[in-house]
Amino acid sequence: MKTNSLFRFLFGLLMMTLGSASAQSTVPAVASPIAAQALTVGASAAEFDLSTVFTVPGVTGQIVQFDTSLGQFNVELLATAAPLLATTAPLLATTAPVSGGF
C-alpha cells in the first residue's frame, strides 16, 4: 500500500509539472553504431545497452515510460524544473509495479 501512496503522490506531482509541458514530435536518431558482436551457439544470451546508441533530439533529461491500460507514454524528467520528481520517479520504477487503479 505504501507504493500505491507514493505512486499517487508522484503522479499528482507529475500532472502539476506537465501543466506547462509540450509534446515532443521527434523520433529517435542513431548516435553511434552498435559494435560488432560475436555470438556462439549455446552461449549465454547477449545483452546490449542501447542507451548510448540512440538519442532523441531535443531531449536532455532522463526518460520514464508509463505503461497504462490505455497505452504507453514517455515523460522527460527535468531535474531543474522538478527536482523531487526527477530523483524519486526512477526509484519508484525499480519497485514492484502498481496494479489496480486509484
Side-chain angles (χ1 to χ4, degrees):
M1 290 301 173
K2 266 188 169 179
T3 302
N4 198 12
S5 297
L6 179 61
F7 179 77
R8 287 181 185 184
F9 168 75
L10 287 174
F11 191 74
L13 188 60
L14 173 67
M15 291 300 109
M16 289 187 305
T17 304
L18 289 178
S20 62
S22 60
Q24 298 273 333
S25 62
T26 57
V27 295
V30 176
S32 62
I34 297 174
Q37 302 292 319
L39 301 176
T40 306
V41 175
S44 60
E47 294 184 14
F48 301 97
D49 178 11
L50 299 179
S51 65
T52 59
V53 176
F54 297 102
T55 62
V56 179
V59 175
T60 57
Q62 186 175 11
I63 303 295
V64 175
Q65 185 173 73
F66 290 87
D67 189 3
T68 72
S69 59
L70 299 175
Q72 295 178 338
F73 64 95
N74 298 329
V75 174
E76 179 182 8
L77 301 178
L78 301 174
T80 56
L84 179 61
L85 180 65
T87 56
T88 313
L91 298 175
L92 179 62
T94 61
T95 62
V98 177
S99 61
F102 288 81

